[in-house]
Amino acid sequence: MPTANAAPKTAMQRFLDAVERVGNMVPHPVVIFLILIAIVIVLSALLSTFGAAVTFERINADTHEIETATTEIRSLLDIEGIRFLYASLIPNFMSFTAVGLMIAAMVGAGVAEESGLVTALIRKLVVVSPAWALTYILAFVGIIASVAADAGYLVLIPLAGIAYLAVGRHPLAGLALGFAAVAGAFTVNMLIKPLDAVLVEFTNDAAHLVDPNRSIGLASNVWFSIASVLFLTVIIAFISDRMIEPRLGVYKPEKSVDGTVPDQSAGLSERESRGLRYALYGLIGLILVFCFLTLPSWAPLRNPETGELIGNSPFMNGLIALIMLIFLVTGWSYGIGAGTLRTLTEVIGAIEKSIKNLGGTIFLFFVLSQFVAYFTYTNMGTVMALSLSGALQAANIGALPLLLGFILVVAIIDLLLTGAIAKWAIFAPVFVPLLMKLGVEPEAVLAAYRVGDSPMNAITPLNAYFALVVGFAQKYDKSAGVGTIVSLMLPYVLWMYVLWTALFAGWQAFGLPWGL
């Protein structure tokens, strides 16, 4: 990785360099997950033999009632476990939603990239935006991208790398910025998204254990979420500019055939400008179609029972389709205007090219899907989460220290259980009633969960998209590996936890309203 020679490295930079060297000494990610699968199989057999189990209360996802359950460690080496290992191989992969999302997103993104739309848009952004604002714009858009579920991982992160490259900055810094924004602030947004509906529903079910008349709404964390988005935008951008990019130094891109370095920051040509106009026309046409499909009360993309559009509706549940169509339509429209991608055959060729490049990633996802399924089957993550939450619950401390301890427990467990909904189904019936009895509003408990659940997403290898980011990085640095990403993301994770937790503590201490 290129480094700057002008100034000596700080102690933190030397530490991160060491983390990167050690991390990159580990085997290929596929080998890592094969080793982890073997460890899970052996541990499950040992823990099951010793009868490891835990009893707890949880929210039934179907009836929304509190039920008592006992979770035992399940062995992968007994008769049922061996049957599961054998029979679930293909179902594990087919149910791994990250694969479908990735392929669907690349159908549109491949056309947009091959036509030249992505490069033209980035260059246009560079021209119209002050140089200092680029980092903040990308950080803000990355956080907001969570409204489109996991599409931000597949679209915003590589775009951030391209944007940095376009202005002569290190593209790995752009990738790190995008990953920190998309993953590290995933549970907050300025808009209400489907995840909020599920988290609020589970919160209400838990609150009814103490007060059957106490309920919170979808916007119960909206003020804290909006403040968190703005706060984290500044933090992420500041860390990128002051810590990540100086450590990476000057990036030296590959030269073209004639020995020159392509100028990505030049003004747009007439053909490119015409292509952008065509892309705008295509976008407007697509928006009109979706207005017809969503705005009328009878619109087919509304919830057929409640009529709602934002929340549990076909529109929100299938938002990845809209993302795909936006890139597909605007990419092809740009190609027609700029003369780079005119025929349907050329469009299909662009799609095929983008999907061919996913071969290694798809194989990695195949192995990763097996590990996630095996780990879930054994119940080891659930038992560990409940054991930690039980220890925290038993601690005789005040409300605010308990909230801060709760954030820490959620952060630790997020290394093993990355699903925000699954963890909240376990934690809500424990901590919401406990803290309500101490005078803490359920809105505050949910806000604490948002803080604890997000930043660790940027550093846990169990994040389905962590390996994908490694692949993005190798496009610019062939030697990049797991250690490279971990060393880039550590400063974000640490400072986001410290400062975001401080914001939460101040919010709670001053009694500010969490939402509507």
Side-chain angles (χ1 to χ4, degrees), residues 73-111:
I73 298 295
R74 302 171 68 185
S75 174
L76 285 164
L77 290 181
D78 61 13
I79 294 177
E80 291 299 323
I82 292 173
R83 288 172 180 167
F84 178 79
L85 289 173
Y86 178 78
S88 67
L89 189 69
I90 301 304
N92 292 342
F93 180 59
M94 297 302 292
S95 62
F96 199 59
T97 56
V99 178
L101 287 170
M102 178 181 65
I103 294 176
M106 291 307 297
V107 167
V111 174

Side-chain angles (χ1 to χ4, degrees), residues 12 15-16 239 455 489-499:
M12 176 58 71
F15 168 73
L16 294 176
I239 293 173
M489 304 316 298
L490 262 179
Y492 292 108
V493 173
L494 294 176
W495 282 110
M496 286 174 71
Y497 268 126
V498 171
L499 298 178

Side-chain angles (χ1 to χ4, degrees), residues 133-163:
L134 180 63
T135 304
Y136 293 85
I137 292 173
L138 291 173
F140 178 77
V141 174
I143 297 174
I144 297 299
S146 66
V147 74
D150 292 351
Y153 287 100
L154 304 166
V155 178
L156 190 281
I157 295 175
L159 285 183
I162 295 172

Side-chain angles (χ1 to χ4, degrees), residues 1 34 43 47 60 62 75 78 146 149 171-172 182 240 269 289 308 331 333 348 384 396 399 420 425 433 465 501 510:
M1 182 185 299
L34 288 174
L43 275 179
L47 293 174
N60 187 297
D62 297 322
S75 174
D78 61 13
S146 66
L172 289 188
V182 173
S240 294
S269 67
V289 171
E308 66 177 327
S333 299
I348 294 173
M384 180 176 292
N396 187 20
Y465 298 101
T501 301
F510 286 102

